[in-house]
């Protein structure tokens, strides 16, 4: 008998004899809009849960974790040298800086001397990496706001930088060229000429981008006064890099805590005070120009000589020795199958990555593998500032906010 | 007034760039990639040393008819080298340089290499692999195997075109698929090959000098006895 009752329950209701009264518009309840995780303007798999009151943003909460890879845990099962292939893979826009931060932390644990040539090459590659990352930011930011042609031009210059990476380290994105103790191999023939060619081209290319954007009324309209983040808020959120510099604080790790001999290079830290999206754009363009300056100085002082430390506890024996000496072969096998073993301890090294302070924290328990590797990634720290930046603004400005933060989701989720 | 002028200036750049690619389309100016080899020669066996440097016109190429050259250090997946004219040490193993020491499998970060050491008829281990597999779907193209091989037996290939409709059988390469003659390696990596050849020569010279010294000593000893 119950079944019959159930059947009756799902009978369609009788048609109303007269039309229903019009529903009253709900005005006191904000609309929830999911942006992402697969929206082209979210720069990877980022989901932003936005509450809207009409066109105004009431709240915007980033929901992360879609790109979780467990890469920090993976480090614990790999030797220190294998870690150099993992670290760059966390950031697909600034892989050299990730590689560099990890290697510097491991070198701090090992307390190993790095040859001058390797240090200068690291500076050149890091600055080229900064240029490539900023070029992606510029092109994609403009594309998000509807200026599609700039992306074609920035990617043209970025392509030649990636070609150089491929020529130097064998891969465009993840060369893993920087190793504990120095570099994986010596520079290829024609490296100086290829870098010089890129550096010569870059200033006129930046002029071209600036002609397209800096004074463009539409670009100014979309970015000026948008996505503001005051200096107090930026510090409270732990933001670094260009978010601070666009808010009037000249904080740059290359000046504050120099690494790789940055204290000996002559360069400016560009600062603006408006703390909006337009100021950040100007800061980043100026940073590309400074990066060209630093790379040129580094290129002019590139010394010859060894590119890998002579410390046999870290560096492998040269290949020609393997043919003659049985001891060298045994050492080679032992070094690469078990890995070198730093003394127990911990090390933290921060570098000024294109997005801010990128820190690597490595703990050694005295074995051939790190006990723990943790990364302080600028994208993760700064993403939480999104809501403060876009609250009360228009929905269209949320796109400016996300594009302006320029998050790399591989770094955020890890 | 200023409002329109800045927007128009930006548009001028776009139009100029558009026109330059259009002219390039009519073959009036060189391409960004330089003069690429004809499709038939564009295989990876013939790799120019330098990278394209010219800019202007089109930045794209008509793949797969045209292909950008890859630099010598470019790495995709590993292959194994065998000598067609092996020296006395490897003559018994068809010139295959790999001695099945297994260092490549140990340094491989994603662990995509599987080796089985060869055994003779008497059951004794021989310095050669009887089975060698590389799972290309796992390989992360880091090149550690080639870098740390003490025998220059494994090198990184430049051929990146092996997409398939399934990812299990056709992406697990076995020994026969992985073996390439030394000429293939020499064409891909000319400077690396030159280093190997120089080392080989130095080794041969040292051996010859040692033998000459031994012979001289023996002759001197014989002369001493005679005297």
């Amino acid at each position: 008998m119950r079944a019959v009752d159930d059947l009756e329950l799902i009978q369609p209701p009788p048609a109303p004899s007269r039309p229903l009264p019009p529903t009253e518009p709900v005005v006191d309840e904000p609309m929830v809009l999911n942006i992402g995780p697969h929206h082209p303007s979210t720069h990877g798999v980022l989901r932003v849960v936005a509450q809207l009151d009409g066109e105004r943003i009431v709240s915007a909460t980033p929901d992360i974790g879609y790109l979780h890879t467990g890469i920090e845990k993976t480090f614990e099962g790999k030797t220190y040298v294998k870690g150099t292939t993992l670290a760059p893979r966390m950031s697909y826009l600034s892989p050299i800086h990730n590689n560099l931060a990890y290697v510097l932390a491991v070198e701090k644990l090992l307390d190993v001397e790095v040859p001058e040539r390797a240090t200068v090459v690291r500076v050149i590659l890091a600055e080229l990496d900064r240029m490539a990352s900023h070029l992606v930011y510029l092109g994609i930011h403009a594309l998000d706001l509807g200026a599609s042609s700039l992306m074609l031009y920035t990617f043209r210059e970025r392509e030649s930088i990636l070609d150089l990476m491929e020529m130097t380290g064998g891969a465009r994105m993840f060369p893993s060229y920087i190793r504990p103790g120095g570099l994986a191999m010596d520079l290829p023939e024609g490296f100086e000429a290829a870098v010089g060619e890129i550096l010569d081209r870059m200033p006129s290319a930046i002029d071209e981008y600036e002609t397209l954007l800096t004074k463009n009324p539409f670009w100014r309209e979309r970015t000026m006064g948008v996505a503001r983040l005051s200096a107090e808020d930026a510090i409270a959120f732990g933001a670094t890099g260009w978010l601070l510099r666009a808010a009037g604080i000249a904080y740059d790790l290359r000046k504050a805590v120099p690494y790789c001999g940055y204290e000996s290079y002559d360069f400016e830290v560009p600062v603006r005070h408006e703390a909006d999206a337009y100021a950040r754009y100007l800061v980043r363009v100026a940073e590309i120009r400074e990066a060209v300056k630093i790379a040129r100085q580094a290129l002019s002082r590139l010394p010859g000589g060894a590119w890998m430390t002579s410390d046999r506890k870290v560096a492998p024996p040269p290949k020609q020795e393997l043919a003659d000496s049985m001891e060298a072969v045994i050492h080679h096998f032992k070094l690469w199958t078990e890995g070198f073993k730093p003394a127990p301890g911990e090390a933290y090294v921060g570098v000024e990555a294109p997005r801010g302070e990128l820190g690597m924290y490595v703990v050694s328990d005295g074995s051939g593998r790190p006990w723990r590797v943790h990364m302080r990634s600028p994208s993760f720290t700064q993403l939480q500032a999104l809501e403060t930046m876009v609250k009360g603004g228009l929905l269209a400005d949320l796109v400016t906010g996300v594009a302006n933060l320029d998050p790399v989701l591989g770094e955020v989720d890890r | 007034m200023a409002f329109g002028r800045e927007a128009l200036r930006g548009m001028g750049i776009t139009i100029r760039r558009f026109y330059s690619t259009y002219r390039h389309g009519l073959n009036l100016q060189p391409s960004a990639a330089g003069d690429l080899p004809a499709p038939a020669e564009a295989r990876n066996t013939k790799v120019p040393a330098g990278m394209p440097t010219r800019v202007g016109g089109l930045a794209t190429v008509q793949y797969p008819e045209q292909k950008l050259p890859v630099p010598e250090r470019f790495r995709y997946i590993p292959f194994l080298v065998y000598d067609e004219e092996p020296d006395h040490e490897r003559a018994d193993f068809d010139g295959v340089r790999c001695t099945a020491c297994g260092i490549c499998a140990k340094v491989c970060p994603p662990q995509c290499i599987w080796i089985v050491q060869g055994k003779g008829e008497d059951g004794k281990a021989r310095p050669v692999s009887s089975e060698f597999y590389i799972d290309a779907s796992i390989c992360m193209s880091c090149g550690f195997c080639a870098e740390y091989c003490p025998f220059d037996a494994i090198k990184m290939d430049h051929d990146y075109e092996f997409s398939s409709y399934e990812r299990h059988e056709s992406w697990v390469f076995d020994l026969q698929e992985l073996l390439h003659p030394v000429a293939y390696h020499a064409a891909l990596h000319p400077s690396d090959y030159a280093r190997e050849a120089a080392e080989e020569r130095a080794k041969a010279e040292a051996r010859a000098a040692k033998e000459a010294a031994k012979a001289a000593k023996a002759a001197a000893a014989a002369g001493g006895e005679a005297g």
Side-chain angles (χ1 to χ4, degrees):
Chain A
M1 287 310 284
R2 293 298 306 165
V4 177
D5 286 351
D6 286 348
L7 278 177
E8 280 166 0
L9 274 177
I10 56 168
Q11 289 291 323
S17 52
R18 59 190 172 80
L20 290 165
T23 49
E24 289 205 2
V26 182
V27 286
D28 55 345
E29 201 177 291
M31 186 177 84
V32 177
L33 182 67
N34 275 305
I35 299 165
H38 296 294
H39 190 270
S41 292
T42 55
H43 295 244
V45 275
L46 169 68
R47 173 170 166 236
V48 180
V49 184
Q51 287 201 331
L52 300 175
D53 177 13
E55 278 281 303
R56 295 272 158 198
I57 296 168
V58 178
S59 77
T61 315
D63 180 17
I64 60 170
Y66 289 94
L67 208 60
H68 179 71
T69 52
I71 199 163
E72 284 186 357
K73 187 74 190 164
T74 312
F75 270 106
E76 293 165 21
K78 306 284 171 199
T79 59
Y80 285 94
V81 171
K82 288 185 196 180
T84 58
T85 66
L86 288 173
R89 279 171 167 78
M90 289 198 234
S91 171
Y92 37 80
L93 293 183
S94 56
I96 302 291
H97 276 94
N98 287 39
N99 192 344
L100 182 62
Y102 172 73
V103 165
L104 287 177
V106 173
E107 280 169 359
K108 203 169 165 186
L109 274 177
L110 286 166
D111 197 19
V112 66
E113 196 84 8
V114 181
E116 181 63 15
R117 183 174 171 84
T119 308
V120 175
V121 170
R122 286 172 181 188
V123 169
I124 296 175
L125 293 181
E127 293 309 314
L128 286 170
D129 186 51
R130 190 183 316 281
M131 286 178 223
S133 174
H134 282 13
L135 288 175
V136 174
Y137 152 81
L138 262 183
I140 300 293
H141 193 352
L143 186 67
D144 283 349
L145 300 190
S148 51
S149 58
L150 184 70
M151 192 268 263
L152 305 172
Y153 309 144
T154 57
F155 270 62
R156 184 187 59 203
E157 264 69 58
R158 175 177 182 257
E159 192 61 26
S160 53
I161 294 177
L162 293 188
D163 279 347
L164 183 90
M165 296 293 174
E166 192 175 43
M167 171 181 154
T168 313
R172 289 155 52 83
M173 298 295 293
F174 308 121
S176 308
Y177 184 61
I178 301 171
R179 298 280 171 81
L183 305 170
M185 47 198 147
D186 201 5
L187 291 175
E189 229 173 279
F191 175 82
E192 286 96 334
V195 176
E197 195 263 335
I198 291 173
L199 296 182
D200 287 344
R201 221 166 79 205
M202 203 51 86
S204 64
I206 302 168
D207 290 343
E208 196 175 275
Y209 314 145
E210 285 221 77
T211 315
L212 278 165
L213 291 184
T214 304
K215 287 184 183 167
N216 187 303
F218 308 110
W219 176 254
R220 287 174 162 225
E221 199 79 10
R222 288 297 303 273
T223 53
M224 274 184 164
V226 172
R228 288 178 58 92
L229 186 71
S230 66
E232 292 78 33
D233 283 343
I235 292 171
F237 280 122
T240 44
W242 85 120
L243 283 174
L244 275 186
R245 291 194 284 272
I249 302 172
Y251 179 73
D252 189 316
L253 276 180
R254 290 173 293 174
K255 293 271 191 199
V257 193
Y259 53 93
C260 286
Y262 266 111
E263 66 273 16
S264 60
Y265 293 89
D266 172 35
F267 66 102
E268 308 279 319
V269 178
V271 177
R272 301 285 300 185
H273 295 274
E274 295 86 346
D276 60 359
Y278 187 70
R280 278 176 223 130
Y281 154 75
L282 291 179
V283 164
R284 280 204 156 183
V285 169
E287 270 178 37
I288 306 180
R289 292 191 196 272
E290 291 304 316
V292 174
K293 223 162 98 182
I294 299 170
R296 213 183 278 284
Q297 289 173 42
L299 197 60
S300 68
R301 67 166 78 161
L302 181 66
W307 64 92
M308 190 71 184
T309 174
S310 55
D311 186 348
R312 287 292 174 86
K313 285 214 163 58
V314 179
K319 260 202 171 157
Q320 55 267 27
E321 261 183 47
L322 295 181
D324 312 326
S325 153
M326 196 60 208
E327 286 75 25
V329 175
I330 292 168
H331 182 59
H332 183 90
F333 272 78
K334 211 167 151 50
L335 193 56
W336 298 125
T337 51
E338 291 173 19
F340 45 72
K341 292 170 180 157
E346 55 184 31
Y348 175 87
V349 173
V351 299
E352 183 68 33
R355 279 162 199 77
E357 176 173 352
L358 171 83
M360 280 281 186
Y361 175 65
V362 183
V363 184
S364 162
D365 61 353
S367 72
R369 288 147 200 222
W371 185 79
R372 176 83 169 94
V373 174
H374 177 68
M375 183 188 181
R376 186 247 183 244
S377 65
S379 299
F380 175 72
T381 315
Q382 280 150 210
L383 195 59
Q384 60 184 331
L386 179 68
E387 182 164 341
T388 312
M389 284 165 70
V390 299
K391 206 171 183 173
L394 294 171
L395 174 61
D397 294 340
L398 178 66
V399 177
T400 314
V402 176
N404 221 263
L405 275 176
D406 192 21
V408 170
L409 270 294
E411 256 181 32
V412 172
D413 291 339
R414 306 199 283 282
Chain B
M1 200 47 215
F3 184 91
R5 198 170 61 224
E6 290 304 329
L8 282 177
R9 270 185 65 191
M11 214 177 246
I13 287 185
T14 316
I15 291 169
R16 206 160 56 235
R17 289 289 167 198
F18 173 74
Y19 177 66
S20 107
T21 54
Y22 182 73
R23 270 188 50 169
H24 173 239
L26 295 173
N27 293 322
L28 292 175
Q29 70 182 63
S31 85
D35 301 314
L36 287 172
E41 293 164 17
R43 299 301 306 177
N44 289 309
T45 46
K46 201 180 169 191
V47 183
M51 288 303 294
T53 52
R54 263 185 288 174
V55 180
L58 282 174
T60 50
V61 295
Q62 297 296 321
Y63 183 83
E65 283 79 24
Q66 286 181 310
K67 280 179 202 165
L68 287 172
V70 289
E72 180 183 340
R73 288 182 181 181
F74 174 73
R75 43 180 203 241
Y76 202 63
I77 64 152
F79 68 91
L80 294 171
V81 183
Y82 71 91
D83 290 295
E84 282 155 312
E85 295 160 9
D87 58 9
H88 63 284
E89 283 172 23
R90 302 301 296 167
D92 295 344
F93 310 109
D94 303 329
V96 178
R97 289 183 177 180
C98 173
T99 62
C101 72
I103 194 167
C104 50
K106 286 197 174 113
V107 298
C108 177
Q111 298 164 357
C112 71
I113 301 177
W114 179 254
I115 307 176
V116 177
Q117 186 163 40
K119 284 206 164 64
E121 281 165 13
D122 52 354
K124 270 190 181 170
R126 297 169 79 221
V128 69
S129 57
S130 61
E131 289 170 60
F132 198 113
Y133 298 100
I134 288 176
D135 190 339
S137 63
I138 294 175
C139 175
M140 74 199 287
S141 309
C142 68
F144 274 23
C145 49
E147 202 176 319
Y148 297 130
C149 178
F151 307 102
D152 286 312
I154 189 163
K155 295 286 168 192
M156 296 305 279
D157 207 341
H158 287 184
D159 186 8
Y160 45 83
E161 294 171 323
F162 53 90
S163 51
S164 68
Y165 285 101
E166 53 82 45
R167 57 186 178 151
H168 301 292
E169 274 124 54
S170 48
W171 277 43
V172 179
F173 295 104
D174 66 14
L175 189 59
Q176 285 316 308
E177 288 168 303
L178 288 169
L179 277 174
H180 283 73
V182 70
Y184 181 80
H185 157 54
L188 292 185
H189 313 109
S191 68
D192 192 31
Y193 181 70
R195 174 192 60 77
E196 276 171 34
E199 277 170 21
E200 201 59 41
R201 259 200 312 279
K203 220 166 107 183
E205 272 165 25
R207 200 185 304 130
K210 216 167 160 187
E211 266 162 29
K214 215 163 143 191
K217 208 172 163 192
E225 270 169 33

